[in-house]
Amino acid sequence: MSQPVALRSDAAATPGRIRRRVATGTGATLALAVASVGAGGAAHADEYVVRSGDTVSRIAARTGTSVAAIAGANRLANASRIAIGQRLVIPTGASAAPAPAAPAPAPAAPAPSSRTHPVVSGDTVSGIAARYGTTVAAVVAANGLDSRAFIRVGQQLTIPGAGAPATAAPVSAPVSAPVTIAPVAASHRVVSGDTVSGIAARYRTTVAAVVAANGLDSRAFIRVGQQLTIPGAGAPATAAPVSAPVTIAPVTIAPAAVTHRVVSGDTVSGIAARYGTTVGAVVAANGLDSRALIRVGQQLTIPGRAAAAPTTALVGNTFAGRTYPEAVVASANANKATLLRAGVPSKAEMQAKVVATARAMGVDLALAQAVAFQESGFNQTAVSPANAVGTMQVIPSSGEWASQLVGRHLNLLDPDDNVTAGVAILRQLLRSSPDLPTAIAGYYQGLSSVKRNGMYADTRVYVANVQTHMTRFR
């Protein structure tokens, strides 16, 4: 657990030099050699050696400077890219924030001090942050908390100085240059079911920002266990330069998330209505699957109203006479939006992928193509109200089964993985079914349902269509 940063200055025997030591919660000691400021107000700088788990934003908070100042002093092209063992120049005093010349040197404004808070029963990170006038992101970053912001009774939390105040006092001296405030970065460990759009919504940032911060390709492909850097929401705001005293306009604060403990009888839709948010927002914030399954005692993150603003519906809620739950449809709409935003291969390219994958997995090429054509017309952006995704129209639970069949995690939003999932399921159905029509029916209705109930009327139509398409692809 991170502990408050303690600063101690010991004047050395040689005049004109100060040696600073910064104690961290891990017991490590940073030796910072600082040149004294002369009568002319020259800046001084410290040196910091990057350790495992460090980010530029954490180093900036710990040393009382800014991300922009560290990036400028070290010529960092990307402030999210630093290496363990790298030596960073930490600007302080005049080098950290340029100030206008004054008749006499004035002491630098101290960075907000840190303090500690012992966690008691009923505490939440959002409540603690509000109590001390700081932000959830700052508390999470200062204490190395995970994406759940999990805390326990008795834990000692480091509470960093408050973030940007809602209203700043009028500035009495001219501001010489624009000031850019860099958002705090966090990290997120990818788990099964995560999507970049869902992660971005959970941390109130954008898909583009997450893609850029992690060097993801146009597919925004992620894998289970991957550590993602989560930058602050959107681009940082820049204050306009002024030449006379001004009053800074109030800053709009995004609604803070709250937590809800699930009790017997709770449903996601009921919880969403109670807190004035949407099912889709609750599902995304908590990484729930298409069933929106919750359990008694579970702690849910409830995003603020702004984060819960509904998006234009891209997918309806009914198919083949069935109406699907709101949580399933919300996930379907999120997946549809992600596919449209990321861009996908053409239908001809997807058909070629189906042929190549079927050949590699020993599945009848005509059967694989016929199923893909019947399901989506080789359209990778297709998403149904049941949250069946992509060219092969695979639902998330079937995607997990396909992942087990091939021995690796499959991302249904990825074109190649989507085809692999569908063809792997076809192959398994062919092995488990007494004949071809039953295997085809199993892809549409589910093999256990076919064996238990026989083929439904719409299933028989589906099987006939697929077998007709097979003659086309022979």
Side-chain angles (χ1 to χ4, degrees):
M1 177 194 322
S2 177
Q3 295 294 333
V5 176
L7 295 179
R8 185 187 67 197
S9 298
D10 299 321
T14 305
R17 293 187 66 80
I18 297 173
R19 186 173 182 84
R20 290 183 181 169
R21 298 187 180 273
V22 181
T24 70
T26 60
T29 303
L30 307 177
L32 307 177
V34 183
S36 65
V37 179
H44 57 263
D46 303 338
E47 185 179 77
Y48 179 86
V49 179
V50 178
R51 304 195 311 271
S52 175
D54 275 343
T55 64
V56 174
S57 57
R58 289 187 183 182
I59 296 170
R62 183 179 300 168
T63 56
T65 183
S66 69
V67 172
I70 294 176
N74 294 274
R75 299 181 179 178
L76 300 178
N78 185 342
S80 67
R81 303 289 185 185
I82 55 175
I84 295 174
Q86 181 176 352
R87 293 181 179 274
L88 297 177
V89 174
I90 308 298
T92 57
S95 66
S113 59
S114 297
R115 60 191 304 172
T116 58
H117 173 86
V119 177
V120 298
S121 179
D123 271 351
T124 64
V125 173
S126 58
I128 294 169
R131 176 177 174 184
Y132 288 96
T134 184
T135 64
V136 171
V139 176
V140 167
N143 295 276
L145 304 180
D146 62 18
S147 60
R148 301 169 300 168
F150 178 74
I151 54 176
R152 63 180 185 278
V153 173
Q155 182 176 355
Q156 291 286 340
L157 294 180
T158 297
I159 311 299
T167 304
V171 179
S172 59
V175 180
S176 59
V179 179
T180 300
I181 308 227
V184 176
S187 63
H188 174 83
R189 185 179 180 85
V190 178
V191 298
S192 179
D194 271 350
T195 64
V196 173
S197 59
I199 295 169
R202 181 183 305 175
Y203 289 93
R204 294 194 180 90
T205 183
T206 64
V207 171
V210 176
V211 167
N214 295 276
L216 305 180
D217 62 18
S218 60
R219 301 170 301 169
F221 178 72
I222 54 176
R223 64 182 186 279
V224 172
Q226 182 176 354
Q227 287 285 350
L228 295 179
T229 297
I230 311 297
T238 303
V242 294
S243 57
V246 295
T247 299
I248 307 296
V251 177
T252 300
I253 308 296
V258 297
T259 58
H260 173 85
R261 186 179 182 84
V262 178
V263 298
S264 179
D266 271 351
T267 64
V268 173
S269 58
I271 294 169
R274 176 178 174 185
Y275 288 92
T277 184
T278 66
V279 171
V282 176
V283 166
N286 295 277
L288 305 180
D289 63 17
S290 60
R291 300 169 297 171
L293 179 67
I294 55 177
R295 64 182 185 279
V296 173
Q298 183 177 355
Q299 290 283 350
L300 295 179
T301 297
I302 311 298
R305 291 175 185 264
T311 57
T312 302
L314 299 170
V315 180
N317 64 352
T318 60
F319 174 74
R322 300 183 183 93
T323 299
Y324 289 86
E326 186 179 355
V328 176
V329 177
S331 294
N333 274 281
N335 286 332
K336 179 78 171 183
T338 300
L339 288 169
L340 292 174
R341 186 167 47 243
V344 299
S346 68
K347 292 181 180 180
E349 290 170 328
M350 290 308 303
Q351 182 179 1
K353 290 179 184 292
V354 171
V355 171
T357 304
R359 181 178 289 115
M361 299 182 75
V363 173
D364 185 336
L365 305 187
L367 172 62
Q369 290 178 87
V371 168
F373 183 79
Q374 175 66 28
E375 290 286 348
S376 70
F378 302 112
N379 180 7
Q380 178 59 17
T381 65
V383 181
S384 79
N387 201 21
V389 177
T391 300
M392 303 302 293
Q393 289 290 279
V394 182
I395 62 174
S397 58
S398 294
E400 294 175 6
W401 178 39
S403 296
Q404 295 169 3
L405 292 175
V406 300
R408 68 179 180 86
H409 174 69
L410 296 174
N411 176 7
L412 299 180
L413 300 178
D414 175 79
D416 293 301
D417 279 5
N418 187 278
V419 172
T420 297
V423 175
I425 290 171
L426 270 177
R427 182 176 63 179
Q428 186 61 31
L429 289 171
L430 289 167
R431 292 172 177 173
S432 306
S433 302
D435 51 44
L436 179 60
T438 302
I440 297 172
Y443 196 91
Y444 179 80
Q445 183 180 322
L447 187 57
S448 60
S449 176
V450 172
K451 290 180 177 179
R452 182 174 60 253
N453 305 309
M455 296 185 197
Y456 299 140
D458 55 331
T459 302
R460 289 195 294 272
V461 173
Y462 178 89
V463 172
N465 287 341
V466 170
Q467 290 184 306
T468 299
H469 296 323
M470 287 179 68
T471 62
R472 170 184 174 181
F473 295 111
R474 288 294 183 194

